């Protein structure tokens, strides 16, 4: 135990030097440190709320002063800055685009635009597109993809920065899905890896009352001439765990059909322009 | 766990105006902050509330953030520390540590897990009894493995003061554990 402390925290060992009983106690305290269970639904829900509030909160400082000076209401502000914000969004490092197999509609459920309600309205026929901020190591990325609930899929690369995940079958209706890429698999062509897993959560909309005809045709958008010539091999990964799962990337406890187990505080669900009561940092 | 400094600085700069960049920061630091908050409030629901507050405060205040030479996480921990203090001011935490504390014990027998769980509850109950500043310093050091200098930034204290808090906290825990177990091994009362 003492040796552990010396190994993992030389500062602490130095601080408690000459007091072996305290060093031993430090080891016991470290071992007893609570390990909370991370609720992936909560993580995704909070992220969606933050992303919904972000456009109103993250404004250029000059515009803040102008708006304060003119006392413009939020709607006016948003209308005036919509174009600029759109450009900022276009440069986003990671965005997910889901578009329909029938290409009748193109839905962007970006990490900046989704919220819980939107996440649960994704068409089960959709494919999943992930844009990276830099050219990626295609093989490494594909090996690290995990979809929960387990889903067979193939992958196609539009270019070195854009991956398309095509489910082998239609996604289940009214089901929360999580696409996760383990950090060591999220590797760019220079060998740099992400320090946290890439996690994309969304939910499919409920099935219509009348069962629609299933079209076996591939999505027109995914044909070679549409996507480009850089498609990578169409690897199919079995749903039974054939996809590599990174150490530490434990599949989240799944809570089907639940968004969150309790009501959020009033400020949590209020419009972005209505901050929580204690809005100032102390 | 810490992002490369230059990368993080660029990301934070972007996050002042770019929601996606803020989202990246959230993705990277959520687990750290949640773990820290949970270790202080020891209740999942409360930890989620406080964690939400931390990130919303960060979102609203990120335009005021100035790099201090320490990781961005130090700023988040600072917000978290204040939010936890607010939480405690509003409501004393539940003391049902038996149900709140989990201990990693893969593969151990049920009896061993029960013993370890009791041990965890006992030692963390001793930490709960410490003054808040000592409790925070110990949690950041033993639970989050932060450097003394970073803890100093988070708590607004000098490194020397943090050392003193940790040392006094350790002595306090030892004192309380000795009282709890009966035999006193030469610790002055």
């Amino acid at each position: 135990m003492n040796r552990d402390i010396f190994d993992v925290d030389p500062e602490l060992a130095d601080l408690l030097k000459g007091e072996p009983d305290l060093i031993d106690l430090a080891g016991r305290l470290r071992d007893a440190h609570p390990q909370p269970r991370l609720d992936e639904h909560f993580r995704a829900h909070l992220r969606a709320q933050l992303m919904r509030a972000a456009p109103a909160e993250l404004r250029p400082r000059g515009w803040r002063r102008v708006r304060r000076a003119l006392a413009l209401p939020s709607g006016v502000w948003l209308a005036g800055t919509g174009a600029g914000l759109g450009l900022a969004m276009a440069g986003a490092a990671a965005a997910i685009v889901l578009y329909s197999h029938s290409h009748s509609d193109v839905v962007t459920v970006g990490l900046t635009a989704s919220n819980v309600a939107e996440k649960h309205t994704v068409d089960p026929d959709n494919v999943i597109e992930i844009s990276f901020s830099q050219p990626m190591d295609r093989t490494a990325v594909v090996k690290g993809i995990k979809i929960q609930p387990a889903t067979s899929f193939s992958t196609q690369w539009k270019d070195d920065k854009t991956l398309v995940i095509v489910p082998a079958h239609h996604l289940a209706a009214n089901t929360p899905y999580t696409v996760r890429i383990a950090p060591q698999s999220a590797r760019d062509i220079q060998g740099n890896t992400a320090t946290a897993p890439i996690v994309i959560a969304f939910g499919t909309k409920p099935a219509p009352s009348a069962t629609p005809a299933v079209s076996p045709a591939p999505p027109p958008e995914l044909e070679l001439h549409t996507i480009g010539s850089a498609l990578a091999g169409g690897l199919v990964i079995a749903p039974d765990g054939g996809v590599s799962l990174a150490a530490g990337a434990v599949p989240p406890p799944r809570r089907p059909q639940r968004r969150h187990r309790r009501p959020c505080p009033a400020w949590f669900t209020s419009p972005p322009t209505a901050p929580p009561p204690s809005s100032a940092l102390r | 766990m810490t992002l490369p400094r230059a990368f993080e600085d660029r990301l934070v700069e972007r996050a002042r105006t770019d929601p996606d960049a803020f989202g990246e920061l959230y993705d990277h630091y959520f687990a750290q902050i949640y773990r820290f908050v949970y270790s202080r409030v020891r209740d999942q629901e409360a930890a989620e509330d406080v964690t939400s507050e931390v990130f919303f405060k960060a979102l609203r205040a990120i335009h005021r953030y100035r790099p201090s030479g320490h990781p961005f996480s130090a700023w988040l921990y600072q917000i978290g520390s204040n939010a936890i203090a607010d939480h405690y001011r509003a409501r004393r935490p539940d003391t049902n540590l038996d149900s709140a504390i989990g201990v990693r014990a893969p593969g151990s027998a049920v009896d061993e897990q029960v013993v370890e769980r009791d041990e965890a509850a006992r030692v963390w109950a001793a930490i709960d009894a410490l003054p808040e500043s000592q409790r925070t310093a110990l949690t950041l050091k033993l639970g989050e493995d932060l450097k003394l200098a970073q803890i100093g930034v988070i708590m607004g204290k000098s490194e020397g003061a943090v050392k003193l808090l940790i040392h006094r906290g350790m002595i306090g825990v030892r004192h309380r554990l000795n009282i709890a177990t009966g035999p006193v091994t030469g610790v002055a009362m």
Side-chain angles (χ1 to χ4, degrees):
Chain A
M1 183 70 68
N2 295 1
R3 184 166 298 169
D4 286 347
I5 290 293
F6 278 103
D7 288 342
V8 302
D9 196 338
E11 270 189 350
L12 190 60
D14 184 57
L15 176 61
L16 304 178
K17 187 170 52 184
E19 299 182 85
D21 57 332
L22 289 187
I23 292 177
D24 184 62
L25 180 58
R28 289 168 64 194
L29 291 172
R30 184 185 293 276
D31 290 346
H33 189 254
Q35 299 298 322
R37 181 172 55 84
L38 284 179
D39 184 335
E40 291 296 337
H41 272 259
F42 166 69
R43 182 207 291 257
H45 180 78
L46 176 57
R47 193 187 203 285
Q49 292 291 331
L50 286 165
M51 291 301 98
R52 199 176 72 166
E57 298 290 349
L58 303 178
R59 297 164 184 158
R61 301 188 67 195
W63 273 105
R64 283 173 185 272
R65 285 194 288 270
V66 169
R67 186 188 164 201
R68 263 200 303 271
L70 299 177
L72 292 175
S74 176
V76 173
W77 159 259
L78 287 174
T81 59
L85 189 58
L87 288 174
M89 304 291 226
I96 173 174
V97 180
L98 299 113
Y99 47 92
S100 170
H101 278 203
S102 62
H103 78 110
S104 57
D105 56 339
V106 176
V107 184
T108 300
V109 187
L111 300 177
T112 59
S114 66
N115 57 32
V116 173
E118 288 168 354
K119 285 195 303 175
H120 284 267
T121 57
V122 173
D123 193 307
D125 290 344
N126 285 355
V127 297
I128 302 162
E129 180 176 316
I130 302 174
S131 297
F132 298 95
S133 55
Q134 56 235 66
M136 301 298 287
D137 179 337
R138 299 181 179 194
T139 306
V141 171
V142 169
K143 279 185 178 174
I145 297 172
K146 180 76 176 177
I147 299 182
Q148 286 289 330
T151 304
S152 299
F153 59 88
S154 59
T155 56
Q156 299 167 333
W157 287 87
K158 292 174 73 173
D159 53 50
D160 280 345
K161 296 164 70 172
T162 310
L163 170 67
V164 179
I165 300 173
V166 184
H169 308 287
H170 297 280
L171 298 174
N174 201 24
T175 301
Y177 278 87
T178 303
V179 178
R180 175 187 291 264
I181 303 175
Q184 61 267 46
S185 295
R187 182 192 309 156
D188 69 13
I189 56 176
Q190 295 182 326
N192 302 312
T193 56
T195 52
I198 294 173
V199 179
I200 298 159
F202 63 93
T204 51
K205 65 184 180 184
S209 52
T211 307
V214 177
S215 168
E221 294 90 335
L222 301 181
E223 291 174 5
L224 280 174
H225 68 272
T226 304
I227 288 181
S229 59
L231 298 181
L235 174 61
V236 176
I237 300 179
D240 58 358
V243 182
S244 63
L245 181 62
V250 180
R254 184 175 163 228
R255 295 182 184 177
Q257 320 305 335
R258 284 181 70 185
R259 289 182 183 171
H260 202 249
R261 57 186 168 71
R262 61 193 163 74
C264 296
W267 60 265
F268 195 79
T269 53
S270 59
T273 51
S278 53
S279 61
L281 284 176
R282 295 187 300 108
Chain B
M1 291 293 285
T2 303
L3 292 168
R5 183 59 50 80
F7 176 82
E8 184 178 82
D9 287 348
R10 285 196 298 272
L11 191 58
V12 171
E13 188 57 39
R14 278 176 48 214
R16 295 179 198 278
T17 54
D18 181 353
D20 277 341
F22 188 86
E24 285 187 54
L25 289 171
Y26 171 85
D27 291 340
H28 185 76
Y29 288 116
F30 170 83
Q32 260 177 272
I33 297 302
Y34 179 79
R35 188 179 60 229
F36 167 62
V37 171
Y38 181 88
S39 69
R40 291 292 314 280
V41 302
R42 235 78 62 68
D43 174 79
Q44 186 178 356
E45 198 166 309
E48 291 178 359
D49 285 345
V50 173
T51 304
S52 300
E53 192 174 343
V54 170
F55 281 101
F56 269 96
K57 281 184 174 179
L59 177 67
R60 285 193 301 272
I62 194 167
H63 66 279
R64 295 202 302 266
Y65 172 77
R66 295 288 175 271
S68 62
H70 295 282
F72 180 71
S73 58
W75 186 64
L76 293 176
Y77 278 120
Q78 192 175 15
I79 299 173
S81 190
N82 291 336
I84 290 164
D86 289 343
H87 168 79
Y88 274 104
R89 267 193 288 272
R91 180 177 71 91
R92 293 301 303 168
D94 296 335
T95 53
N96 183 13
L97 298 176
D98 286 343
S99 63
I101 293 179
V103 177
R104 280 182 302 182
S108 60
V110 173
D111 285 351
E112 291 172 357
Q113 289 187 24
V114 169
V115 169
E116 289 177 0
R117 200 179 176 88
D118 288 347
E119 169 73 359
R122 211 164 58 87
V123 297
W124 279 91
I127 287 184
D128 279 346
L130 295 174
E132 185 175 321
S133 56
Q134 293 178 14
R135 208 163 57 214
T136 300
L138 275 183
T139 303
L140 290 170
K141 192 60 186 164
L142 297 172
E144 303 300 316
D145 289 332
L146 296 188
K147 301 285 186 193
L148 293 169
Q150 291 176 18
I151 298 174
V153 169
I154 292 166
M155 298 183 67
K157 295 183 183 300
S158 69
E159 195 173 323
V162 172
K163 283 183 181 177
L164 202 57
L165 284 173
I166 291 174
H167 194 259
R168 284 180 178 166
M170 293 293 297
I171 290 174
V173 171
R174 179 178 65 183
H175 175 70
R176 285 168 173 82
L177 287 178
N178 283 338
I179 287 174
T181 52
V184 177
T185 56
V187 177
M189 297 295 288

